[in-house]
Amino acid sequence: QVQLVDSGGGLVQAGGSLRLSCAASGRTFSLYAMGWFRQPPGKEREFVAAISWSDGNTWYADSVKGRFTISTNNAKNTVYLQMNNLKPEDTAVYYCAAAVRHISNPDYWGQGTQVTVSS
């Protein structure tokens, strides 16, 4: 089992920045990738970004390319999401996710952290 604890959300004005963190513990050696999803108010959960544990490859949703950056620490037990130039449409609950096979089908989820961007 893998446990994920995400944090770092908050209220920020449009154009501002936030950094989310996700601390992973447990059988992290079994993971293929970790990433972030978000669920805007009244909408479905959607993919945001992911990073491969093995080779560091990254993937981003088109809506956040050039503004968000996903990274890990050297111990590969924490994933960060640096969010710059935030827009009101980025408002959502952000969830950390981890996958054994492919990030499109996560096996583990964090509890979620609220990000609110005011205009």
Side-chain angles (χ1 to χ4, degrees):
Q1 293 294 319
V2 174
Q3 294 77 42
L4 304 176
V5 178
D6 41 38
S7 62
L11 173 64
V12 64
Q13 288 188 334
S17 299
L18 282 174
R19 189 176 82 155
L20 305 182
S21 299
C22 176
S25 60
R27 298 173 61 87
T28 57
F29 60 85
S30 67
L31 298 177
Y32 165 71
M34 288 184 65
W36 294 90
F37 288 70
R38 67 187 181 185
Q39 187 165 17
K43 296 185 179 181
E44 297 290 320
R45 191 176 298 187
E46 62 186 21
F47 170 77
V48 176
I51 185 166
S52 165
W53 248 210
S54 60
D55 56 16
N57 279 347
T58 57
W59 303 273
Y60 295 93
D62 288 343
S63 59
V64 306
K65 281 180 181 176
R67 300 188 298 122
F68 292 10
T69 302
I70 190 169
S71 62
T72 69
N73 63 348
N74 288 337
K76 291 187 178 179
N77 57 8
T78 303
V79 174
Y80 304 99
L81 186 68
Q82 178 66 43
M83 305 185 294
N84 297 329
N85 191 22
L86 283 161
K87 304 176 180 180
E89 51 264 42
D90 294 318
T91 294
V93 178
Y94 283 70
Y95 296 91
C96 179
V100 174
R101 289 182 175 79
H102 199 281
I103 197 63
S104 62
N105 188 25
D107 299 280
Y108 306 99
W109 293 95
Q111 79 281 8
T113 184
Q114 176 71 46
V115 171
T116 303
V117 184
S118 62
S119 57

